[in-house]
Amino acid sequence: EWIKARPFGSWCAGNPHAIAIDCEMCETKDPVSGSIDHKALCRLSVVNAINTDDVLIDTLVKPEWPVTDDRSRINGIKKDALESVQFT
């Protein structure tokens, strides 16, 4: 059964009318099967698209499997920065 969104109303009048989402990815490897995930999420950023100074969330995300390529040359995120992240 589909979940229906609540209709627009006063409860959401203060929410942004549009948002922008950016995701940074890294590469991980399953230590059991050896499967490689080339697109594991390691950072999630969401901003108000009308006022980009209004950051709604900007957080590192700890991948499920060990990181094999942090892609820091692209995203600036080092493997060790992901080690202590609690959000998965």
Side-chain angles (χ1 to χ4, degrees):
E1 188 172 323
W2 289 92
I3 297 172
K4 292 184 179 180
R6 290 174 56 187
F8 181 80
S10 60
W11 67 272
C12 64
N15 291 352
H17 295 189
I19 59 172
I21 301 173
D22 180 46
C23 298
E24 299 297 339
M25 308 306 209
C26 62
E27 182 179 281
T28 62
K29 185 175 182 179
D30 184 336
V32 176
S33 70
S35 295
I36 295 175
D37 183 353
H38 299 282
K39 300 176 186 173
L41 181 66
C42 63
R43 183 177 184 176
L44 172 67
S45 302
V46 181
V47 297
N48 179 336
I50 307 303
N51 174 10
T52 55
D53 290 335
D54 183 12
V55 177
L56 304 175
I57 188 169
D58 186 16
T59 186
L60 294 175
V61 177
K62 186 173 187 169
E64 182 178 358
W65 298 340
V67 176
T68 53
D69 182 1
D70 56 18
R71 298 188 182 149
S72 62
R73 64 196 175 283
I74 299 167
N75 60 34
I77 302 168
K78 302 280 187 190
K79 181 179 175 179
D80 58 332
L82 299 170
E83 302 274 330
S84 62
V85 174
Q86 298 297 311
F87 186 67
T88 58

